Amino acid sequence: MTALVVLSVGCEAPARPVQERRRADKRSLFADASLVPTREGERIRRELALAGELTTALELLEFGPVHVDLELRAEHGSAVVVAQPPAHTDASVEQLEAEVAELAGAIVPELAPNQIHVWLRPRPEPPAPKRDRSWALTLACLGLGLSLGVTLERVRMRRLA
């Protein structure tokens, strides 16, 4: 009887998986068009569509991972573009930033050139080649074999003595 009490006290309910809390962003809040349409919601859905167009255009030009954030307000609009430049280009960062700003201005004509901010991240350097360390493993195995051989020989000599 005591064992049943101990076992029942020791059992716990299965742990529930912890759900990650995601940060709310424009897309998760306003992407659902079934919400009650408001001017704010329509403006943000338009911003999301234009940001998607700009992202697609930059990816077609082989810019790396691209993140675009648009804010289209009458008093203060802005576009922020963060990307990696193409790998096969010889153009300078300033030239590439000017090209991206020009493309953004063509896709979103409401923005003035001083409202478009472009940041190009450098491409990560390729990882250094791994050094071959098979010689170290070979020496370690050889040392282990020698030490086991010496140990076995000493055990054999003690039994004979």
Side-chain angles (χ1 to χ4, degrees):
M1 180 66 172
T2 307
L4 288 176
V5 171
V6 171
L7 287 176
S8 66
V9 171
C11 294
E12 294 181 18
R16 294 181 186 169
V18 178
Q19 294 180 355
E20 289 185 28
R21 296 190 68 188
R22 288 184 28 186
R23 289 187 310 150
D25 59 347
K26 280 202 262 187
R27 187 168 307 283
S28 65
L29 292 176
F30 292 100
D32 186 11
S34 67
L35 297 172
V36 176
T38 61
R39 284 186 185 166
E40 181 78 7
E42 292 301 317
R43 181 184 59 79
I44 291 176
R45 278 191 278 285
R46 184 169 181 270
E47 289 173 4
L48 291 172
L50 288 172
E53 288 293 322
L54 186 54
T55 300
T56 302
L58 288 172
E59 287 174 351
L60 286 174
L61 293 174
E62 296 182 3
F63 278 80
V66 178
H67 175 76
V68 177
D69 187 27
L70 284 177
E71 185 73 32
L72 297 177
R73 294 189 185 246
E75 60 274 4
H76 62 279
S78 67
V80 177
V81 181
V82 181
Q84 284 182 348
H88 61 278
T89 184
D90 293 333
S92 69
V93 173
E94 291 82 18
Q95 290 173 334
L96 291 172
E97 287 177 351
E99 287 179 21
V100 171
E102 184 180 342
L103 179 64
I107 292 177
V108 188
E110 296 95 344
L111 296 177
N114 64 345
Q115 294 175 319
I116 300 171
H117 309 284
V118 180
W119 286 282
L120 295 179
R121 296 178 291 207
R123 288 206 164 269
E125 293 184 15
K130 293 184 179 180
R131 293 187 286 176
D132 185 26
R133 297 183 188 247
S134 61
W135 60 269
L137 182 61
T138 304
L139 288 177
C141 289
L142 182 64
L144 179 64
L146 288 173
S147 111
L148 284 175
V150 168
T151 303
L152 290 175
E153 182 64 24
R154 287 184 180 172
V155 168
R156 189 180 69 84
M157 293 303 268
R158 279 194 181 173
R159 285 194 174 170
L160 288 177

